[in-house]
Amino acid sequence: MFNYFRKRFTSHIRERSRRRARLVSKDGRCNIEFGNVEQSRFVFLIDIWTTILDLRWRYKMTIFISAFLGSWFLFGLLWYVVAYIHKDLPEFNPSINHTPCVENINGLTSAFLFSLETQVTIGYGFRCVTEQCATAIFLLIFQSILGVIINSFMCGAILAKISRSKNRAKTITFSKNAVISKRGGKLCLLIRVANLRKSLLIGSHIYGKLLKTTITPEGETIILDQVNIEFVVDAGNENLFFISPLTIYHIIDKNSPFFHMAAETILQQDFELVVFLDGTVEATSATCQVRTSYIPEEVLWGYRFAPIVSKTKEGKYRVDFQNFSKTVAVETPHCAFCLYNEKEAKAKEKKGYDNPGFVLSEVSETSDTKM
């Protein structure tokens, strides 16, 4: 038992040591950090709307609560100051004929309650502004306008956060692994993608980027060099009818960066394949982008995806997501170059060749037959 756990622990440590850093996680988050940014952080306050939308929920709700409580308390202090200057507080022993600026403000607590009633337009009617002070009337108007602005901004930010197309992208899923096998007589890299909702993505477009480190002829090392990877489906890669899971594939030809890779060497390669799906949400008409990535350990050579769509007895089409990422081993050439040479050899066999060393000589035949 001890040896078993020791082997498991050792294999886990080895796997963690082999784990490669990836720019894009499986759920689409980017693993990148900005350092030594010369611009001040105040530039983010210029685009305060985007800054608020990008905040996490815990920070957003903290700002939401702080904005309301802060404005109520600030205007409560101002109402208390007005009452204090006009000597409306009980500590000044106002006369019976004294008309206060705001009735029934007896201290800081009552001033805070009046500020809350004014800004959220509750209006209990117990405390109200009189015609005695122009300052109080101006403060009432200013707080009402500012309260509407705060309500509109904060409620709009929360609504926009809830309805962001980023949340719609979470219902688009990619297969855990990519596979390489023959498809239509060509060696292809295949990935499966599915829409978990019945609502469609309009104008969907799928493409990929291969990230790797390259060295230019001038000796410059480029980290995260991007190479375009074209993905297609049988119906074309534009305006996909994305109602059922699709298998997208990239043809590994001479122009593909996977052409010089083989089944034995792909794990020694250093690359990251990032796949993007752009589309428009049918319900909100907002554009969204879904992305995921694959590293060499997640590319299976010599496999294909198991079928997941079937037809029931009632005539409905059923998608079994239990087999969504399931793969099946198939016979596959161990490199694209081998498949290419094999096709050339078969084509040459059909065409045949002329032997330049062959000489046709005519032989005269003599007949010894006598009549």
Side-chain angles (χ1 to χ4, degrees):
M1 182 65 68
F2 177 75
N3 293 333
Y4 171 77
F5 284 107
R6 186 178 64 180
K7 291 180 181 180
R8 291 292 300 272
F9 180 76
T10 305
S11 62
H12 178 71
I13 295 298
R14 289 178 180 175
E15 183 179 355
R16 286 182 61 90
S17 62
R18 292 197 308 264
R19 190 173 298 171
R20 312 186 189 200
R22 58 200 311 160
L23 178 65
V24 180
S25 62
K26 297 297 288 184
D27 57 356
R29 291 177 297 177
C30 296
N31 180 26
I32 192 168
E33 179 180 305
F34 296 105
N36 299 325
V37 180
E38 296 181 357
Q39 292 183 342
S40 173
R41 293 186 179 272
F42 288 104
V43 296
F44 295 98
L45 296 178
I46 299 176
D47 187 14
I48 187 64
W49 179 254
T50 305
T51 303
I52 293 295
L53 290 183
D54 289 340
L55 289 177
R56 300 194 176 191
W57 274 109
R58 54 179 177 267
Y59 302 124
K60 187 185 295 292
M61 295 306 299
T62 301
I63 294 176
F64 181 84
I65 296 173
S66 301
F68 282 103
L69 290 179
S71 61
W72 295 341
F73 183 75
L74 176 62
F75 279 100
L77 289 177
L78 294 178
W79 286 116
Y80 180 81
V81 171
V82 170
Y84 185 86
I85 294 175
H86 197 254
K87 297 183 179 181
D88 298 336
L89 301 177
E91 59 191 54
F92 292 105
N93 296 320
S95 61
I96 300 176
N97 297 327
H98 178 77
T99 303
C101 293
V102 181
E103 294 183 352
N104 299 313
I105 287 187
N106 303 320
L108 186 60
T109 303
S110 57
F112 175 80
L113 292 175
F114 178 73
S115 173
L116 188 152
E117 296 170 15
T118 300
Q119 188 163 329
V120 299
T121 64
I122 295 178
Y124 291 120
F126 182 69
R127 300 179 181 89
C128 61
V129 177
T130 64
E131 301 176 355
Q132 186 68 25
C133 300
T135 304
I137 297 175
F138 173 78
L139 186 60
L140 177 68
I141 296 173
F142 182 73
Q143 184 177 3
S144 299
I145 295 175
L146 185 62
V148 172
I149 295 175
I150 294 176
N151 288 337
S152 301
F153 185 87
M154 297 308 301
C155 294
I158 291 179
L159 180 62
K161 181 76 171 180
I162 295 174
S163 60
R164 289 186 77 176
S165 56
K166 185 178 181 180
N167 297 326
R168 176 64 176 92
K170 294 181 180 180
T171 56
I172 306 295
T173 180
F174 288 88
S175 57
K176 181 180 179 181
N177 296 305
V179 298
I180 295 179
S181 59
K182 292 176 64 176
R183 186 183 181 93
K186 300 177 181 178
L187 192 64
C188 300
L189 183 142
L190 300 97
I191 297 172
R192 180 172 276 173
V193 58
N195 180 13
L196 301 182
R197 289 185 179 272
K198 292 185 178 180
S199 59
L200 301 179
L201 284 181
I202 304 172
S204 301
H205 176 60
I206 299 177
Y207 58 98
K209 298 287 184 181
L210 188 70
L211 308 179
K212 60 179 183 177
T213 302
T214 59
I215 300 178
T216 63
E218 294 77 17
E220 180 185 2
T221 301
I222 302 177
I223 301 177
L224 297 179
D225 187 23
Q226 300 184 13
V227 180
N228 289 327
I229 302 294
E230 294 294 334
F231 282 99
V232 295
V233 294
D234 293 334
N237 61 344
E238 297 287 348
N239 300 324
L240 304 177
F241 185 49
F242 201 12
I243 192 63
S244 63
L246 298 175
T247 301
I248 61 175
Y249 58 92
H250 165 71
I251 301 175
I252 303 179
D253 53 13
K254 291 184 178 181
N255 298 322
S256 172
F258 295 95
F259 183 76
H260 298 286
M261 299 182 189
E264 297 83 2
T265 61
I266 190 170
L267 294 179
Q268 283 74 42
Q269 302 293 326
D270 184 15
F271 67 84
E272 181 178 352
L273 176 62
V274 185
V275 184
F276 302 87
L277 171 63
D278 297 339
T280 303
V281 181
E282 186 180 25
T284 61
S285 298
T287 58
C288 71
Q289 183 182 88
V290 195
R291 53 186 176 266
T292 189
S293 69
Y294 299 92
I295 56 178
E297 288 80 3
E298 297 169 345
V299 179
L300 306 180
W301 197 294
Y303 289 84
R304 64 172 175 83
F305 291 110
I308 60 174
V309 180
S310 60
K311 195 172 183 179
T312 62
K313 295 180 180 180
E314 293 79 10
K316 294 183 178 180
Y317 292 94
R318 183 175 183 271
V319 180
D320 186 6
F321 280 96
Q322 185 177 1
N323 296 333
F324 180 73
S325 295
K326 186 177 180 181
T327 57
V328 179
V330 292
E331 184 178 353
T332 306
H334 73 283
C335 66
F337 189 73
C338 299
L339 179 63
Y340 180 77
N341 288 344
E342 181 182 350
K343 287 185 176 181
E344 278 195 346
K346 290 182 179 179
K348 290 179 180 178
E349 285 180 3
K350 292 181 180 180
K351 291 180 180 179
Y353 290 92
D354 291 333
N355 187 359
F358 177 77
V359 178
L360 178 62
S361 60
E362 296 183 359
V363 180
S364 60
E365 297 182 356
T366 59
S367 179
D368 298 335
T369 305
K370 294 183 179 180
M371 298 298 293

